């Protein structure tokens, strides 16, 4: 039996193939990246974070080429009145029912489905 707070994980080096381990903080807590400008280009450090976007003017979030790999995701939320648009850098492909967050406090998740291809899901306009 592990100690309080530990989880059972696969471990090919353990006799039974599993071992007790303490989870890392990143698996327990969501980190934030607050942005207040009218433009922002996503970076690799945004993976598994909530990027909050707050401005009274429209905001464009650019998805760059070659930064993310399949399965990675970035959460986005519009905190200000300025509508957030998720845009390609000209080479990335973004699919979904829209590319704009629908209203103040709307949120969406951008998922990398393959090299430079993304699906945007959430409360979109």
């Amino acid at each position: 039996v592990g100690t309080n707070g530990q989880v059972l994980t696969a471990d090919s080096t353990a006799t039974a193939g599993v071992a007790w381990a303490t989870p890392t903080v990143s698996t327990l807590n969501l980190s934030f990246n607050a942005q207040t400008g009218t433009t922002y280009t996503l970076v690799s450090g945004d993976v598994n974070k909530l990027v909050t976007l707050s401005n009274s003017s429209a905001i464009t979030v650019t998805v760059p080429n070659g930064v993310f790999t399949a399965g990675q995701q970035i959460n986005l939320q519009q905190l200000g009145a300025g509508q957030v648009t998720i845009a390609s850098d000209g080479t990335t492909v973004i699919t979904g029912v829209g590319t704009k967050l629908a209203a103040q406090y709307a949120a969406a998740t951008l998922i990398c489905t393959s090299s430079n291809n993304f699906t945007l899901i959430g409360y979109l306009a």
Side-chain angles (χ1 to χ4, degrees):
V1 174
T3 60
N4 290 344
Q6 289 189 316
V7 295
L8 195 59
T9 61
D11 183 346
S12 62
T13 64
T15 303
V18 292
W20 290 101
T22 302
T24 61
V25 173
S26 64
T27 62
L28 299 175
N29 299 311
L30 183 66
S31 297
F32 298 91
N33 177 1
Q35 296 295 316
T36 58
T38 57
T39 61
Y40 179 66
T41 299
L42 296 172
V43 296
S44 61
D46 290 326
V47 171
N48 296 329
K49 286 187 179 176
L50 175 62
V51 178
T52 58
L53 302 138
S54 183
N55 199 296
S56 59
S57 297
I59 302 166
T60 300
V61 175
T62 302
V63 183
N65 177 16
V67 174
F68 305 104
T69 59
Q72 292 183 320
Q73 61 183 357
I74 300 106
N75 301 296
L76 306 160
Q77 185 179 26
Q78 176 183 321
L79 296 182
Q83 187 173 41
V84 174
T85 299
I86 314 307
S88 167
D89 70 348
T91 58
T92 56
V93 176
I94 303 169
T95 60
V97 296
T99 57
K100 295 182 182 211
L101 298 185
Q104 188 172 18
Y105 305 115
T109 300
L110 183 69
I111 304 166
C112 182
T113 55
S114 65
S115 180
N116 298 322
N117 290 285
F118 298 83
T119 296
L120 185 63
I121 58 174
Y123 187 23
L124 304 171

